[in-house]
Amino acid sequence: MKDALPYYNVGPLLYCPANNPAIVHSLPENRFGTHFSMALCLEDTINDDCVAEAEEMLIRNLQTLCRLHATTPFFLPDFFIRVRNPQQITDLTKRLEEAHDLVKGYILPKFSPDSADTYIEAALDIQQTYHCHKYIMPILESPILLHPGHRTDILCTLKDRLDAVSDLVLNIRVGGNDLCNVLGFRRSVSQSIHRIHTVAQVFSDIIAIYGPDYVISGPVWEYYGGTGWDDGLRRELQEDRLCGFIGKTVIHPRQIPLVNEAYRVSPADLEDAHAILGWDISDPSFVRGSAAGARMNEKKTHYNWALQTLMLSRAYGVSES
């Protein structure tokens, strides 16, 4: 169980095409609030013929933000670059120059047995060459994961490779829409992805295999306008949290406050978490009722829940009730 705040602080990860020039105006004006991270995407959101131009725009945007922030400080989110291939990790690290200090790490799409080693080698190479610490966030979204006969072996193989560099792995991310696309599925604004059982089974296996050691972020909710989009997102966030996801990929600033709200900790949960984590180990009994007299707290079986609750309270805050 991860017990350090950075793993929980990614929060809502706002996806932005790397060729979008608007961020150099939106971020200095604090249009999106001050509690989110940002992914600059060079992969699915970019036309295959426009990658070079998108890279140039990404570099110019980050260098501009770096200069602006030096003269007039404003909230800068943690930036993560979603690359297309491992070579971009090395190349962009060099080309960004001083602006690379703004980059918290790299997002690794279609993370699979075929790509894992080269991605990890590229990540290790920049740490050694540039004496920096950059995180990686692999995305488990390859179509091969839909095959139940192969899935467990693939997930365990990938985890073994990530465990060797676990200090670099900030979050595990999942590609719900990519998996749905293989089967031609698309949920409506009133439906949660957790009701698509074929995809939910993939998620369940990911949580079971990676959950004890890594923070796993929830899949994209693609609605941000029209009737019911916010209620649908709240429902899916509730199911995300119940199933073991923490944080969520978002594709519009309107979604940010709803994600932050969903992961706030209730006062009762925080009170119980403190009681469990502060249990007197000389106490002959490791079970007792909660302070509110509403449920049972047991040190041995609720310890990881309590630790996670404490981390969430520090990352997202405490709700009013």
Side-chain angles (χ1 to χ4, degrees):
M1 179 64 62
K2 291 294 187 182
D3 60 354
L5 198 54
Y7 302 103
Y8 297 85
N9 265 345
V10 177
L13 180 66
L14 178 62
Y15 259 60
C16 176
N19 59 0
N20 185 345
I23 64 170
V24 297
H25 306 293
S26 301
L27 292 177
E29 295 172 5
N30 286 330
R31 294 182 189 176
F32 307 149
T34 59
H35 192 195
F36 68 98
S37 303
M38 179 169 279
L40 300 175
C41 181
L42 288 165
E43 203 224 2
D44 287 347
T45 63
I46 303 298
N47 187 311
D48 293 345
D49 297 328
C50 301
V51 176
E53 293 93 328
E55 289 179 351
E56 290 295 334
M57 179 64 74
L58 182 153
I59 292 168
R60 285 199 300 271
N61 283 346
L62 288 180
Q63 290 176 341
T64 299
L65 288 170
C66 195
R67 289 194 300 270
L68 291 173
H69 193 263
T71 58
T72 307
F74 52 90
F75 172 75
L76 276 176
D78 288 336
F79 288 101
F80 299 89
I81 300 175
R82 175 168 168 154
V83 295
R84 287 187 165 224
N85 54 64
Q87 292 72 33
Q88 282 182 320
I89 295 176
T90 305
D91 183 55
L92 289 170
T93 301
K94 180 179 180 180
R95 292 167 63 193
L96 278 164
E97 299 177 342
E98 73 280 359
H100 200 264
D101 289 342
L102 302 184
V103 178
K104 190 82 167 182
Y106 287 93
I107 300 169
L108 316 181
K110 314 294 189 293
F111 195 73
S112 69
D114 292 334
S115 64
D117 288 340
T118 50
Y119 270 129
I120 291 171
E121 287 169 9
L124 289 173
D125 179 64
I126 62 169
Q127 323 286 324
Q128 296 165 0
T129 302
Y130 295 96
H131 306 289
C132 61
H133 185 89
K134 302 296 181 185
Y135 287 107
I136 57 174
M137 295 198 291
I139 311 180
L140 301 176
E141 58 184 346
S142 297
I144 53 175
L145 295 178
L146 288 167
H147 195 297
H150 304 318
R151 182 162 60 240
T152 301
D153 287 343
I154 292 169
L155 290 174
C156 289
T157 296
L158 292 176
K159 185 175 184 296
D160 286 343
R161 295 180 185 180
L162 290 173
D163 285 349
V165 291
S166 60
D167 60 317
L168 301 183
V169 183
L170 188 62
N171 282 182
I172 303 294
R173 310 196 75 84
V174 297
N177 284 347
D178 287 76
L179 296 173
C180 286
N181 180 55
V182 176
L183 302 168
F185 296 158
R186 188 176 192 180
R187 64 199 186 280
S188 74
V189 72
S190 63
Q191 297 168 327
S192 164
I193 198 167
H194 300 286
R195 292 179 56 193
I196 305 176
H197 296 301
T198 309
V199 175
Q201 287 167 3
V202 179
F203 290 170
S204 179
D205 286 346
I206 291 172
I207 294 291
I209 292 170
Y210 291 80
D213 299 308
Y214 297 99
V215 171
I216 306 167
S217 182
V220 167
W221 174 260
E222 59 191 7
Y223 298 95
Y224 57 87
T227 302
W229 74 269
D230 48 351
D231 289 336
L233 176 54
R234 287 189 181 96
R235 284 192 296 269
E236 183 162 289
L237 281 163
Q238 187 177 40
E239 293 186 27
D240 282 351
R241 188 167 177 180
L242 178 64
C243 292
F245 292 108
I246 295 173
K248 199 169 183 69
T249 300
V250 298
I251 44 81
H252 194 280
R254 290 178 185 170
Q255 299 175 335
I256 292 172
L258 276 70
V259 176
N260 285 325
E261 176 188 354
Y263 283 93
R264 291 191 184 102
V265 171
S266 73
D269 279 354
L270 185 57
E271 184 176 30
D272 283 358
H274 280 302
I276 293 164
L277 295 173
W279 210 292
D280 183 354
I281 59 172
S282 66
D283 193 325
S285 175
F286 275 0
V287 59
R288 69 169 59 96
S290 64
R295 61 184 175 185
M296 178 193 74
N297 287 331
E298 189 171 352
K299 175 179 170 57
K300 290 185 177 180
T301 58
H302 295 134
Y303 183 86
N304 282 335
W305 169 86
L307 180 60
Q308 186 179 94
T309 299
L310 182 63
M311 291 295 107
L312 289 174
S313 73
R314 292 174 178 174
Y316 293 91
V318 181
S319 63
E320 294 182 359
S321 60

